[in-house]
Amino acid sequence: MEAGAAAPAKVNKPAMTAQRNTLVASLGLLALVLLAWQFLPPALDVPKFIIPTVTDCLAEMKRMWAQEGLLGHTLSTALYTVLGFAIGSLLGAVIGYLLGMSEFWEKVLSPYILALQIAPKVAFAPLFIMWFGYNAMPKLLVTVLIVFFPVLVNVLQAMRTVDRDLVNLARAYNLSRWGIFLKVEMPSTMPNLMAGLRIASTLAVIGVTVGELVGGNTGLGFLISYGGGQANAAMVFNAIVLLTVIGFLLYTVLVRIEERVLHYLPKAQH
Amino acid sequence: MALEFRSVTKEFTTGTGQNLVAVNDINFRVNEGEFVSVVGPSGCGKSTILSMTAGLYQPTQGEVFVSDDRVSGPNAHVGFMLQKDLLLPWRNIVSNVEFGLEARGVAKSERRDRAMAELKRCHLAGFENHYPYQLSGGMRQRAALARTLAIKPEIVLLDEPFSALDAQTKLLLQNSFAGTIAQTGKTTLLITHDLAEAVLMSDRILVLSERPGTVVAEIKVDLPHREEPLRRRVMPEVSDYAAQIFKHLKLEEKAI
């Protein structure tokens, strides 16, 4: 054990330098892109309403903050992203586990699940607006729908591939059906569930954005269509950046949770 | 009597609707504290015997008795262990050992005490907070044995528990298992395809025929040091016993 504990300390140093190198290269690339964005369009005589420069965007950001209620729009979008993600993944997981326990219903429902999974969920947005009006309901529903499937499919797949010998062992130890689910099946599916949630988190932002683009007067998606209507490219750029930030934050939180939950998996060696 | 098979036959229906007789008219007894190995060609129904003893499924004909009770489902008398360690990767070693006790209404503090005692017996003291991925294959099998013994079974069923290990680890682990089992005095049924392993570890060996499996020979191993296979290993008689089993399996005819 002593040897095992000492070895990582030795390899750590080169690993840390490597990590610093990637960080420096990453940031350098960002700086390069920002510089090009700032100076290339004016140099090539591209008008500001087509490609605004970085400073134009920052100035517009300040104006939006002061005059358009940017904070409110951003918070609203963030709220519905998280809400839609939470409801959608909860439903997806619950139904995934239920179907995973019943082979009969899984077989009965699988063609419909596949059909719904293939159908472009964002195309439902206008329908939801016709049904529920110009309020928060349509965008929430689109988000829930879009988040639902990757979680459902991942959980179902994992439930199908739970080690039969583990289940038999649990049976031999007299565990009840519920006990087997709780102590063997559910923990076995955790890696897949977490992968499904990660995919779902990136889709949640798309769902909310589409819902806001199609109808309503709040959120970053609304600012995109509003800015587009006014030929205000800087506003559109800013909204896209903020949407990306929201998605990125949600994803990062999930990765952190995943590291905690799946701590028992050996770390992949690069 | 710890374990008895009375004219047990097991048929399976295959995916194509055909009937497959896995084992046919099996009769044998295992006495209390005895270590019996079952050897046979692959696919002869060795694992079927184990599953019926564990109560995972029922014989088509005949009866299986464990401690004079007819086996009709999973029961508390039997602890089994496979080639795979089947440790739950998300639990540390001590809670893996506790796993079998959880459904049996054993109080939490007692579970921990019993698990720690078994870990100590299986030479894993100090590793209770490790996770399975942090242990070697041999240590994981020892943890699986600790989990099997923690439920205080009357019979321990071992289904090729050493076959996934490298040659040296295998010898050491056989020695460690034999010592632990001798110390607890448990009745043990070992399923294996390794003839030498059967001779080194058992009091008695049952030789099964090809499918449908029946008992074709019963060999009493009259050697000392059952609790220490490494010492038995150097005895000249070992190869005689292995040759005897070899003959019963009719392996010469197959060797070309």
Side-chain angles (χ1 to χ4, degrees), chain A residues 142-163:
Chain A
V142 176
T143 313
V144 167
L145 202 60
I146 209 169
V147 162
F148 177 75
F149 287 98
V151 178
L152 171 84
V153 170
N154 269 277
V155 167
L156 198 52
Q157 170 73 19
M159 282 293 277
R160 266 191 226 139
T161 51
V162 173
D163 190 338

Side-chain angles (χ1 to χ4, degrees), chain B:
Chain B
M1 197 75 50
L3 169 64
E4 187 175 2
F5 270 60
R6 285 189 202 157
S7 2
V8 171
T9 298
K10 177 70 186 173
E11 289 176 23
F12 290 104
T13 310
T14 59
T16 50
Q18 285 170 314
N19 264 3
L20 185 100
V21 184
V23 293
N24 189 24
D25 193 27
I26 297 256
N27 287 288
F28 69 86
R29 292 172 164 203
V30 181
N31 297 316
E32 195 120 0
E34 210 181 1
F35 194 124
V36 173
S37 289
V38 177
V39 298
S42 51
C44 71
K46 296 189 292 266
S47 297
T48 310
I49 289 177
L50 186 133
S51 298
M52 286 190 291
T53 314
L56 293 176
Y57 43 72
Q58 307 300 316
T60 315
Q61 277 166 40
E63 287 168 318
V64 179
F65 289 86
V66 169
S67 301
D68 296 320
D69 289 335
R70 205 174 72 85
V71 177
S72 57
N75 61 79
H77 299 309
V78 177
F80 77 94
M81 213 187 125
L82 308 183
Q83 181 182 336
K84 292 191 278 181
D85 54 64
L86 295 180
L87 296 175
L88 304 172
W90 52 88
R91 289 183 174 218
N92 61 18
I93 295 302
V94 68
S95 38
N96 259 298
V97 176
E98 285 173 24
F99 180 53
L101 299 171
E102 287 168 11
R104 302 195 173 188
V106 182
K108 206 172 176 183
S109 60
E110 198 199 329
R111 284 205 303 252
R112 184 54 52 114
D113 290 345
R114 268 164 78 172
M116 293 302 280
E118 290 306 336
L119 282 176
K120 200 170 164 219
R121 179 147 57 193
C122 295
H123 311 288
L124 282 169
F127 289 95
E128 58 271 12
N129 293 323
H130 283 59
Y131 282 84
Y133 80 91
Q134 296 168 310
L135 301 189
S136 68
M139 289 165 93
R140 291 165 63 136
Q141 280 303 53
R142 289 214 301 268
L145 180 66
R147 179 189 59 199
T148 309
L149 293 175
I151 61 165
K152 298 201 195 306
E154 280 158 52
I155 299 185
V156 176
L157 303 175
L158 305 173
D159 191 357
E160 311 213 0
F162 312 112
S163 56
L165 302 166
D166 65 81
Q168 283 92 334
T169 310
K170 192 178 192 172
L171 288 175
L172 295 175
L173 204 63
Q174 284 167 350
N175 211 53
S176 149
F177 267 47
T180 308
I181 285 165
Q183 192 192 346
T184 56
K186 295 283 177 209
T187 309
T188 308
L189 190 68
L190 170 71
I191 306 242
T192 181
H193 59 256
D194 183 336
L195 307 185
E197 179 173 295
V199 177
L200 294 181
M201 297 190 75
S202 331
D203 296 318
R204 204 147 50 91
I205 299 167
L206 301 171
V207 184
L208 290 194
S209 67
E210 282 193 329
R211 196 167 53 220
T214 53
V215 180
V216 291
E218 193 179 322
I219 298 164
K220 193 161 164 37
V221 182
D222 221 347
L223 294 174
H225 304 307
R226 194 200 84 185
E227 72 294 342
E228 216 172 334
L230 283 179
R231 283 177 73 178
R232 234 189 218 191
R233 195 166 162 264
V234 294
M235 297 182 177
E237 295 92 333
V238 169
S239 54
D240 299 340
Y241 279 110
Q244 211 179 325
I245 305 171
F246 199 82
K247 209 184 244 167
H248 285 297
L249 288 172
K250 298 184 178 143
L251 289 175
E252 280 119 335
E253 295 161 25
K254 285 177 210 151
I256 305 165

Side-chain angles (χ1 to χ4, degrees), chain A residues 90-241:
Chain A
L90 189 71
L91 279 178
V94 167
I95 293 176
Y97 284 125
L98 284 176
L99 289 184
M101 292 222 247
S102 158
E103 208 177 326
F104 173 76
W105 282 108
E106 193 213 316
K107 280 193 176 140
V108 170
L109 291 177
S110 67
Y112 307 110
I113 291 173
L114 184 67
L116 268 174
Q117 200 193 344
I118 291 168
K121 262 72 68 184
V122 292
F124 286 83
L127 262 185
F128 291 151
I129 288 172
M130 286 180 351
W131 292 345
F132 300 102
Y134 285 89
N135 52 38
M137 201 57 164
K139 63 180 170 186
L140 194 61
L141 279 180
V142 176
T143 313
V144 167
L145 202 60
I146 209 169
V147 162
F148 177 75
F149 287 98
V151 178
L152 171 84
V153 170
N154 269 277
V155 167
L156 198 52
Q157 170 73 19
M159 282 293 277
R160 266 191 226 139
T161 51
V162 173
D163 190 338
R164 295 321 300 168
D165 288 329
L166 270 183
V167 174
N168 276 339
L169 182 79
R171 280 179 57 206
Y173 285 149
N174 291 321
L175 252 72
S176 60
R177 184 68 194 85
W178 178 241
I180 292 174
F181 173 71
L182 227 54
K183 293 185 173 177
V184 176
E185 291 177 321
M186 182 124 118
S188 294
T189 59
M190 271 300 149
N192 281 53
L193 175 66
M194 292 311 299
L197 289 180
R198 248 191 298 140
I199 300 167
S201 72
T202 60
L203 293 175
V205 184
I206 298 177
V208 175
T209 309
V210 169
E212 289 172 347
L213 272 174
V214 180
N217 52 8
T218 42
L220 293 169
F222 162 72
L223 287 185
I224 288 176
S225 69
Y226 176 63
Q230 292 186 325
N232 184 346
M235 188 187 262
V236 177
F237 268 76
N238 286 339
I240 292 174
V241 168

